[in-house]
Amino acid sequence: MSDDSAGDADAGSTGHSTEPLPTTSDETPEAKTDGEGYVGDTPDREEEYPDPDDDIGGISTPPDDEEMPLADHIEEMVLRLAVVFLFGAAGTAIGILWASEGISFIWTDVVPQAAERPPHLYSPLELWLTRIKLSALLGIMIALPMLIYQCYLFMRPGLYPNERKYYLAAVPTSVVLGGLGMIFSYLIVLPVLFSYFTFYSEGSAEIAYALGETFNLVITLTGFLAIVFQIPLFILLAIMLGVTTRQWLAQKRLYFWTAFAGLSFMFTMDPTFMAPIFVAITMILLFEGTLLIVKWTGRG
């Protein structure tokens, strides 16, 4: 009995052992890869990229910012400056056509009793050089807005949308402020200065204003005040872009006043010191007036 039961047990165990065990190596299909991962290991979905204006790991990138070789930057800058130069040259060429009429018109408005004090020439090329200088001033007036716009196009890829908005608003504002500076110089500063010069010289010498020297002062003051009147725009842009604050500018006002005085005496020097003092006071008033407006509007 023991032999039969042992045989049955052996037969039963043999029956179970004859079934082959499944092997994964033969039945698993070959996995496909695209070089970055296995296809199908994650559900299909569109890749989502972050907003270019969002901070990524503490680094904020403008929407159109991209790396460019230095040579390409220089080439682009040269081309944009060439466009500005062409606009300036065109304005200068137009100004030369009516330079003589412009000289007569300005002389009559600026010099006190101009009919009794005609311009005097002390060199052969003085009249021609004065025409060129006056025409160049017109060319600068025409080229200034183009210069600002070309600077915007050059810096646009590295600007954020809010910075682009501020810069585009600054272009017409800059032109208007420059025009106001020239008008201020022509209607107020120059008549006051020449009235003072005439009063200072009367009774001591015969007054005979030289054409070249007179228009050197006229052009220098007019162009410089066109730049000076950009002070409010620079302050507002710096505050809006977060470069500085009104409180910081107010705390450092004495430094700015000193810088304004230095620039005035550097670019508008005359022996009586009237012109630089007048310009320095104008710069300080523009600076303080802008800070007052910013405080009143609560923007800084």
Side-chain angles (χ1 to χ4, degrees), residues 64-77 153-154 157:
D64 297 329
D65 190 21
E66 59 181 14
E67 293 293 334
M68 289 180 61
L70 179 60
D72 292 347
H73 278 295
I74 295 176
E75 181 181 0
E76 181 185 0
M77 181 179 64
L153 293 179
F154 181 75

Side-chain angles (χ1 to χ4, degrees), residues 228-232 234-235 239 244-257 260 280-294:
V228 164
F229 267 66
Q230 307 296 316
I231 290 176
F234 293 150
I235 293 175
I239 292 176
T244 186
T245 62
R246 183 195 62 82
Q247 292 81 1
W248 185 87
L249 293 173
Q251 292 172 359
K252 305 295 183 181
R253 56 166 41 95
L254 291 180
Y255 295 101
F256 284 98
W257 290 9
F260 294 155
I281 292 174
T282 302
M283 297 174 77
I284 292 173
L285 290 177
L286 288 171
F287 178 81
E288 295 295 334
T290 306
L291 294 185
L292 185 62
I293 292 174
V294 172

